[in-house]
């Protein structure tokens, strides 16, 4: 009997000329260019984050409007040896952010106190935390992965004489807390250009800024200048730099007809600046053509420092150096001065290793948190996670190494998929079951034996979390289906006091994926109803929550994941209002029955080299799913049903002619009720390519997503 495809396979048609043009411009293979075009990654500003992994392409931390305020306050705490209190959250992002900030404060010579919500304590800053900070005689409180919605608590801290810095990444309420400094890329008025950082990434920006503040360049007024001779005269480009951030630019052209006032304008721009140029002798001579032979001109030559940092440029002229830059391929309007600024920044990273090579060591936790919190893998998140995965795979962080050893994940390079599915759930389990301090201690302790015990404990908690989740899933599914059907298959709602608070988010995610609609799971805790909401299909999460603001004690979250608390006495009013309001929230159509293919691979190209393409498009995660290929005409050499709890998965060996491939089709039995794939069958497949590790040996494997027998 013929086995037919379960889903529609969709492969976006492409213009072959456009594919070739992109391949030539960016130095790509035709297959790489095709995949990028099919995914809609066509603009240079977006391609940069797929093709580059240099720190200089990250956004400058001082783009945060309050970054200098945060840095200066922490430097003052360092100077006065103040007691600093760090308060975080219980999930992977909150744990990682807490660890990173505590380590940074240790670098400053401080001995911070820290705390995250334990046991049944609620999310976010509370009066009890403020009281603890007062008891510890703290004069500075820093919140990480929380705080943006805690205006009242922060006001109480100020009344107690405690300054507060908020490091958060959640959507902000209309009224912001009156903190000493707020770093949150989602604040509407925030000047930082990328809103999708994890909280740990926000902390890493502060860490970099604090390290920069230890250099002589902090808050210094610098000017980069380039004068070039043209056919019609001199072109002068200059910019003011503060903390490696371009603050002001000037471009002037001087010809025989240029009025004297133009030279005065240039002189005013250069006044009181340390002026950096490439080849001070040549630049001085050109400037004297503008200001006169007797003009006193003081310039700093940045060429020696750049050439020391990049010896490969020593034999090149400045035009040749500029021609080697990759910036113009991404930004066609790039000027020579832009390239000099980029070179100057790169040389600073080289000169001060804590800003460059040593900074990458903190990115393991940034990568971990970005994947765990399902931040979109676009923009600078791609570089942060790519470099973070490199750092994570070096296993230089002792606590992380102990955990990977416990999970038997040492000995081979981890992929983002393995981190998302095998590492972050274990760390999250500690917070879900009320012991997030165990995860923080794992990273901060200097005792190897303690690290081993903590790694064991985290895995125990993870197994307990799995058992609790499965029991709760069985309990809540009938109630969820009942509401789903009553709502016209638009929403899933569960209220069950038996559900542990720590797993409401897991259950909501599973309901959303199972039923294909937004899902809300609520439980009870001390006369309060606690809810976790997970949304999809364009559901307007923030508007939904705002509609119940008068019922909530507090609420917040991301576009697709949020939570709230309310008095249990408000529950019935909430349910009533929810049912009447749901029709006002539109859902986009389901796309579950369509497989978007990245490329069709001919039989003769289905070789081991395909894994290089898969690696090229790492990291995978939110907004950048793993590549999906299709191939026609493979012969099945063998096929067997396998599975620990009953034969339900199909394991095969497929013959592509040039290579034989092991393949697995998970839960295949669901789709093969009346037909079998047998040896000798010819099949067309949609699949992903990955690695399989067994006793330290690596092999490649196809994961079948859909199949048809022809």
């Amino acid at each position: 009997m013929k086995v037919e495809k379960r889903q529609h396979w969709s492969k976006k048609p492409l213009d072959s000329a456009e594919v070739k043009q992109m391949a030539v411009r960016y130095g790509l293979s035709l297959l790489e260019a095709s995949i990028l075009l099919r995914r809609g990654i066509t603009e240079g500003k977006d391609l940069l984050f797929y093709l580059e992994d240099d720190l200089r392409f990250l956004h400058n931390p001082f783009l945060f409007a309050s970054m200098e305020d945060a840095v200066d306050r922490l430097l003052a705490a360092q100077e006065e040896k103040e007691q600093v209190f760090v308060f975080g959250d219980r999930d992977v992002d909150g744990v990682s952010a807490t660890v990173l900030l505590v380590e940074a404060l240790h670098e400053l010579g401080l001995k911070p106190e820290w705390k995250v919500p334990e046991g049944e304590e609620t999310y976010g800053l509370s009066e009890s935390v403020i009281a603890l900070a007062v008891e510890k005689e703290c004069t500075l409180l820093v919140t990480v992965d929380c705080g943006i919605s805690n205006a009242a608590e922060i006001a109480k801290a100020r009344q107690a004489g405690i300054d507060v810095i908020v490091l958060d990444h959640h959507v902000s309420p209309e009224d912001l807390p009156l903190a000493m400094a707020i770093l949150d890329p989602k604040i509407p008025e925030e000047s930082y250009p990328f809103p999708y950082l994890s909280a740990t990434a926000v902390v890493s920006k502060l860490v970099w800024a604090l390290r920069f503040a230890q250099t002589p360049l902090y808050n210094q007024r610098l000017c980069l200048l380039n004068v070039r001779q043209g056919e019609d005269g001199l072109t002068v480009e200059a910019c003011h730099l503060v903390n490696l951030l371009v603050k002001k630019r000037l471009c002037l052209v001087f010809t025989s007809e240029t009025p004297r006032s133009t030279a005065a304008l240039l002189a005013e721009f250069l006044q009181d600046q340390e002026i950096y140029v490439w080849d001070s002798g040549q630049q001085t001579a050109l400037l004297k053509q503008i200001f006169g032979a007797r003009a006193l001109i003081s310039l700093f030559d940045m060429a020696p420092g750049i050439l020391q940092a990049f010896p490969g440029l020593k034999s090149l002229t400045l035009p040749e150096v500029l021609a080697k830059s990759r910036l113009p391929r991404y930004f066609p309007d790039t000027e020579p001065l832009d390239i000099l600024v980029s070179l100057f920044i790169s040389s600073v990273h080289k000169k001060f290793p804590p800003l460059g090579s040593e900074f990458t060591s903190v990115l393991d936790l940034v990568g971990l948190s970005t994947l765990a919190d399902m931040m979109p893998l676009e923009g600078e998140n791609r570089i942060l996670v790519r470099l973070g995965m490199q750092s994570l795979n070096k296993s230089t962080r002792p606590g992380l190494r102990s955990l990977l050893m416990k999970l038997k994940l040492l000995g081979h390079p981890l992929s983002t998929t393995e981190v998302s599915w095998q590492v972050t759930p274990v760390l999250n389990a500690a917070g879900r079951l009320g012991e997030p301090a165990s995860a923080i201690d794992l990273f901060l302790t200097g005792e190897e034996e303690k690290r081993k015990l903590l790694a064991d404990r985290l895995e125990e908690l993870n197994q307990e979390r799995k058992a609790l989740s499965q029991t709760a899933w069985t309990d809540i599914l009938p109630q969820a289906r009942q509401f789903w059907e009553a709502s016209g298959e638009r929403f899933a709602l569960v209220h069950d006091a038996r559900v542990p608070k720590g797993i409401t988010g897991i259950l909501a995610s599973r309901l959303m994926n199972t039923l294909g609609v937004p899902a809300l799971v609520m439980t009870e805790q001390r006369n309060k109803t606690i809810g976790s909401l997970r949304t999809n299909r364009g559901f307007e999460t923030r508007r939904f929550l705002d509609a119940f603001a008068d019922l909530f004690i507090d609420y917040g979250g991301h576009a697709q994941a949020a939570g709230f608390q309310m008095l249990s006495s408000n529950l019935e009013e909430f349910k009533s209002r929810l049912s009447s309001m749901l029709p006002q929230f539109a859902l986009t159509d389901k796309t579950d029955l369509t497989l978007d293919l990245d490329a069709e691979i001919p039989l003769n190209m289905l070789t081991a080299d395909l894994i290089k393409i898969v690696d090229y498009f790492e990291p995978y995660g939110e907004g950048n799913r793993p590549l999906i290929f299709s191939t026609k005409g493979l012969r099945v050499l063998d096929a067997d049903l396998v599975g620990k709890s009953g034969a339900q998965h199909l394991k095969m060996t497929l013959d592509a002619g040039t290579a034989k491939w092991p393949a697995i089709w998970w839960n295949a039995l669901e789709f093969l009720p009346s037909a079998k794939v047998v040896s000798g069958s010819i099949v067309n497949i949609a699949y992903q390519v990955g690695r399989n590790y067994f006793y330290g040996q690596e092999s490649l494997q196809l994961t079948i997503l859909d199949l048809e027998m022809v």
Side-chain angles (χ1 to χ4, degrees):
M1 182 178 292
K2 182 177 180 180
V3 178
E4 297 184 349
K5 293 184 291 186
R6 296 180 298 118
Q7 304 175 78
H8 171 65
W9 300 1
S10 173
K11 187 181 68 170
K12 181 180 177 181
L14 297 176
D15 182 333
S16 60
E18 189 177 4
V19 173
K20 291 177 183 177
Q21 183 182 21
M22 175 180 278
V24 170
R25 178 172 180 177
Y26 295 102
L28 304 170
S29 70
L30 293 177
L31 180 54
E32 291 163 348
S34 297
I35 292 170
L36 286 165
L37 285 168
R38 283 203 174 92
R39 293 196 168 202
I41 313 299
T42 59
E43 298 291 328
K45 61 182 178 60
D46 299 320
L47 283 162
L48 180 150
F49 294 109
Y50 278 80
L51 308 182
E52 303 288 348
D53 58 7
D54 196 301
L55 288 172
R56 67 192 165 106
F57 293 116
L58 297 176
H59 298 303
N60 188 312
F62 288 99
L63 285 167
F64 275 104
S66 295
M67 182 60 79
E68 284 187 40
D69 294 333
V71 168
D72 290 343
R73 182 61 186 87
L74 285 165
L75 292 179
Q78 177 191 33
E79 180 72 20
E80 298 299 325
K81 296 181 172 55
E82 294 180 55
Q83 186 62 59
V84 181
F85 193 98
V86 177
F87 182 75
D89 190 21
R90 66 176 79 225
D91 64 1
V92 172
D93 194 18
V95 164
S96 300
T98 301
V99 169
L100 208 57
L101 183 58
V102 168
E103 290 178 339
L105 296 176
H106 285 158
E107 286 183 16
L108 295 179
L110 296 169
K111 298 179 180 179
E113 299 282 346
W114 60 266
K115 178 175 172 52
V116 290
E118 295 277 336
E120 296 299 317
E121 292 175 338
T122 58
Y123 166 82
L125 202 57
S126 64
E127 291 188 20
S128 63
V129 174
I130 304 300
L132 181 60
V134 171
E135 179 186 328
K136 298 286 187 179
E137 299 183 345
C138 298
T139 51
L140 177 60
L141 168 65
V142 187
T143 69
V144 293
D145 201 20
C146 62
I148 198 65
S149 299
N150 293 120
E153 291 79 7
I154 289 173
K156 288 186 179 297
R158 293 177 64 214
Q159 291 170 6
I162 301 175
D163 291 333
V164 181
I165 296 173
V166 174
L167 308 179
D168 206 345
H169 72 139
H170 292 97
V171 176
S172 63
E174 187 173 335
D175 296 322
L176 295 176
L178 296 177
M180 173 70 65
I182 299 176
L183 306 184
D184 185 336
K186 288 194 177 74
I187 294 175
E189 297 79 17
E190 177 56 65
S191 53
Y192 195 83
F194 185 68
Y196 303 120
L197 295 175
S198 68
T200 311
V202 173
V203 173
S204 77
K205 296 291 181 177
L206 176 61
V207 171
W208 190 94
L210 284 168
R211 292 181 177 185
F212 185 81
Q214 310 300 312
T215 75
L217 296 177
Y218 181 56
N219 275 344
Q220 293 301 304
R221 299 171 64 186
L222 310 179
C223 179
L224 264 60
L225 174 76
N226 184 50
V227 187
R228 47 194 167 93
Q229 182 76 58
E231 293 182 2
D232 300 325
L234 298 176
T235 297
V236 179
E237 296 176 292
C239 67
H240 291 167
L241 278 184
V242 179
N243 299 331
L244 302 187
L245 196 61
V246 175
K247 293 289 189 178
K248 194 174 182 180
R249 295 183 69 114
L250 182 72
C251 182
L252 298 172
V253 177
F254 291 86
T255 67
S256 58
E257 299 178 357
T258 300
R260 296 176 62 88
S261 59
T262 305
L265 183 64
L266 176 60
E268 182 182 356
F269 190 85
L270 300 179
Q271 188 174 0
D272 298 327
Q273 300 284 326
E274 289 186 6
I275 306 170
Y276 287 79
V277 298
W278 184 285
D279 190 344
S280 57
Q282 180 208 47
Q283 293 290 294
T284 299
L286 292 173
L287 285 172
K288 287 193 173 186
Q289 293 183 34
I290 297 172
F291 295 117
R294 295 185 178 182
L296 296 177
I297 299 172
S298 177
L299 304 176
F300 293 90
D301 199 331
M302 63 179 170
I306 291 176
L307 294 176
Q308 183 178 3
F310 304 101
L313 302 178
K314 284 185 177 179
S315 62
L316 304 180
T317 64
L318 179 58
E320 289 172 334
V321 169
L322 299 179
K324 285 180 69 68
S325 173
R326 298 192 299 275
L327 277 181
R329 70 164 67 168
Y330 304 115
F331 305 103
D333 296 333
T334 297
E335 298 289 345
L337 184 65
D338 297 314
I339 299 173
L340 287 178
V341 169
S342 180
L343 282 170
F344 181 76
I345 291 172
S346 294
S347 68
V348 170
H349 289 173
K350 289 274 191 178
K351 184 175 182 179
F352 301 103
L355 305 177
S357 58
E358 294 176 10
F359 180 69
T360 58
S361 65
V362 311
L363 296 183
D364 55 351
L365 294 184
V366 175
L368 190 66
S369 68
T370 302
L371 295 171
D373 235 39
M374 299 182 69
M375 294 292 98
L377 289 183
E378 60 185 61
E380 68 175 339
N381 273 348
R382 295 196 57 76
I383 294 179
L384 288 171
V385 175
R386 192 179 297 119
L387 293 176
M389 288 298 298
Q390 292 175 15
S391 178
L392 189 150
N393 275 308
K394 292 176 183 176
S395 301
T396 55
R397 188 178 295 275
L400 190 55
R401 183 177 180 83
S402 295
L403 181 61
L404 295 178
M405 186 177 298
K406 175 64 181 178
L407 300 178
K408 299 179 181 178
L409 291 174
L410 283 179
H412 70 268
L414 291 176
S415 67
T416 49
T417 302
E418 287 176 295
V419 170
S420 296
W421 287 95
Q422 298 185 54
V423 180
T424 61
V426 179
L427 290 169
N428 258 332
R432 295 187 190 282
L433 298 188
E435 296 185 29
S438 297
I440 295 176
D441 284 334
L442 173 70
F443 290 127
L444 292 180
T445 184
E447 302 173 22
E448 183 176 355
E449 190 58 36
K450 186 177 180 180
R451 284 195 294 268
K452 291 179 180 178
L453 292 174
L454 287 167
D456 289 345
R457 179 57 181 158
L458 292 186
E459 176 57 5
E460 288 174 7
L461 289 169
N462 188 45
Q463 295 304 320
E464 185 179 342
R465 186 269 307 170
K466 288 181 180 179
L468 285 171
S469 297
Q470 189 54 47
T471 299
W473 176 254
T474 303
D475 291 339
I476 70 167
L477 187 56
Q479 183 187 158
R481 284 192 179 278
Q482 184 179 1
F483 191 95
W484 173 66
E485 292 169 358
S487 69
E489 300 184 358
R490 299 174 54 83
F491 198 87
L493 173 68
V494 168
H495 174 253
D496 191 328
R498 296 171 298 174
V499 174
K501 184 187 71 171
I503 63 172
T504 54
I506 292 176
L507 295 174
S509 293
R510 190 171 176 183
L511 282 174
M512 180 187 72
N513 293 327
T514 300
L515 300 177
V517 296
L520 172 60
V521 176
M522 298 184 293
T523 189
E524 294 295 316
Q525 179 188 17
R526 299 175 188 169
N527 299 319
K528 293 179 183 177
T529 299
I530 313 294
S532 290
L533 175 67
R534 299 295 182 266
T535 65
N536 58 3
R537 298 175 60 186
F539 188 85
E540 296 177 88
T541 305
R542 188 70 194 194
R543 184 166 74 89
F544 175 82
L545 292 174
D546 287 343
F548 302 95
D550 59 312
L551 301 180
F552 293 153
I553 298 171
D554 62 60
Y555 66 100
H558 307 299
Q560 294 178 308
F564 61 81
Q565 297 182 59
M566 64 182 170
L567 294 175
S568 299
S569 56
N570 288 334
L571 178 60
E572 292 308 315
E573 170 64 19
F574 174 82
K575 287 182 177 180
S576 174
R577 199 185 299 181
L578 171 67
S579 296
S580 63
M581 290 183 60
L582 276 179
Q584 302 174 24
F585 291 84
L587 298 179
T588 57
D589 292 335
K590 288 185 178 181
T591 57
D592 297 352
L593 298 180
T594 298
L595 265 182
D596 291 318
L597 302 177
D598 290 292
E600 181 176 334
I601 307 298
L603 279 174
N604 64 341
M605 289 184 62
L606 185 49
T607 67
D609 285 342
L610 199 56
I611 196 66
K612 297 177 183 177
I613 300 294
V614 173
D615 291 342
Y616 189 81
F617 283 88
E618 282 273 12
Y620 297 107
E622 185 70 19
N624 188 56
R625 58 162 176 76
L627 299 181
I628 299 176
F629 303 113
S630 69
T631 297
K632 296 178 179 178
L634 292 103
R635 180 178 296 277
V636 178
L637 297 179
D638 55 64
D640 296 292
L641 287 170
V642 297
K644 291 183 179 179
S645 55
Q648 54 189 336
H649 315 303
L650 185 62
K651 185 178 181 181
M652 298 178 284
T653 303
L654 302 176
D655 186 359
T658 55
K660 294 178 176 60
W661 285 86
I664 186 75
W665 189 3
W666 301 111
N667 299 311
L669 199 58
E670 295 180 21
F671 317 117
L672 300 170
S674 58
K676 293 181 65 176
V677 177
V678 297
S679 176
S681 301
I682 303 298
V683 295
N684 302 333
I685 59 172
Y687 60 94
Q688 295 170 340
V689 183
R691 292 178 172 86
N692 190 33
Y693 295 95
F694 188 71
Y695 287 108
Q697 296 297 311
E698 175 186 304
S699 61
L700 301 183
Q701 176 178 273
L702 306 183
T703 297
I704 307 299
L705 304 179
D706 201 5
L707 173 150
E708 66 174 346
M709 196 160 62
V710 296

